[in-house]
Amino acid sequence: PINHSGLRFLIEIGLFNKGSYVDANYRQISLHYIQVPLMFIYDFKIEDVGKFRVGAGFAPAFLGYASVLDNEEHVEAMENNFRSFDRLPLFLNFEYRINKQCSFQVRYSNSMLPITYEAPNGTYRITRSNKGAFNRCLSAGISLNFLHKNVLVRNI
């Protein structure tokens, strides 16, 4: 917690699989990241409904493994084209806390810088004139909190 009004800062570590499937080209891209979300969260308490959390931040991600299948065969040149570090993915987080042990979460993230090495003169992803590949991800999850010996462990 940052203050008593409900503002908090949260750091997480997670494993994420991002990618795409293009049916027309029979191409499947699978990227496995270790992501470290850094976010500011604000707690809203609504009578008789529960507790909502709204958060925003960025989540630097380290690429652990990239797989590109084209007609069910690995394309090594494309697999080696992905950057090993996604530096600036921004995200929004919405969470509904059912009780202290259980909550439901929806998160949207969007890379602001290209995740591939092509297009070196690409700019930030604010306009559509950018070149390169970017990650966009919508995820949903359930969080279960277990309190054991005054240590909080969070599993998603």
Side-chain angles (χ1 to χ4, degrees):
I2 294 176
N3 58 28
H4 296 306
S5 68
L7 185 63
R8 29 179 97 240
F9 182 73
L10 184 65
I11 299 173
E12 296 178 351
I13 295 176
L15 300 174
F16 290 86
N17 183 9
K18 300 178 181 180
S20 65
Y21 178 76
V22 182
D23 192 30
N25 297 333
Y26 303 105
R27 180 173 294 154
Q28 182 177 348
I29 300 171
S30 183
L31 306 171
H32 303 272
Y33 285 98
I34 298 172
Q35 196 166 27
V36 184
L38 308 166
M39 66 181 126
F40 285 98
I41 292 179
Y42 188 78
D43 291 336
F44 294 95
K45 295 177 185 172
I46 300 173
E47 291 286 326
D48 301 327
V49 177
K51 187 186 224 183
F52 288 93
R53 284 185 168 174
V54 176
F58 73 101
F62 302 92
L63 181 64
Y65 177 73
S67 171
V68 178
L69 296 175
D70 201 358
N71 290 324
E72 298 185 14
E73 292 192 24
H74 282 277
V75 182
E76 227 176 287
M78 290 182 73
E79 292 173 352
N80 295 330
N81 194 36
F82 290 98
R83 295 180 188 272
S84 61
F85 185 51
D86 189 1
R87 297 173 299 237
L88 191 62
L90 301 178
F91 70 91
L92 296 172
N93 186 69
F94 301 97
E95 183 176 356
Y96 172 65
R97 301 204 51 158
I98 298 166
N99 54 38
K100 289 183 179 181
Q101 287 78 33
C102 186
S103 63
F104 177 73
Q105 183 180 87
V106 176
R107 185 175 287 177
Y108 174 75
S109 66
N110 196 341
S111 305
M112 298 303 286
L113 299 174
I115 60 168
T116 56
Y117 286 111
E118 67 235 9
N121 28 336
T123 60
Y124 295 101
R125 193 180 184 169
I126 295 171
T127 66
R128 291 285 181 193
S129 63
N130 302 1
K131 297 178 181 177
F134 297 88
N135 277 329
R136 282 185 298 194
C137 183
L138 179 64
S139 62
I142 296 173
S143 295
L144 301 173
N145 297 316
F146 301 98
L147 189 60
H148 180 68
K149 293 185 181 179
N150 296 328
V151 176
L152 183 65
V153 178
R154 182 174 182 162
N155 298 318
I156 297 180

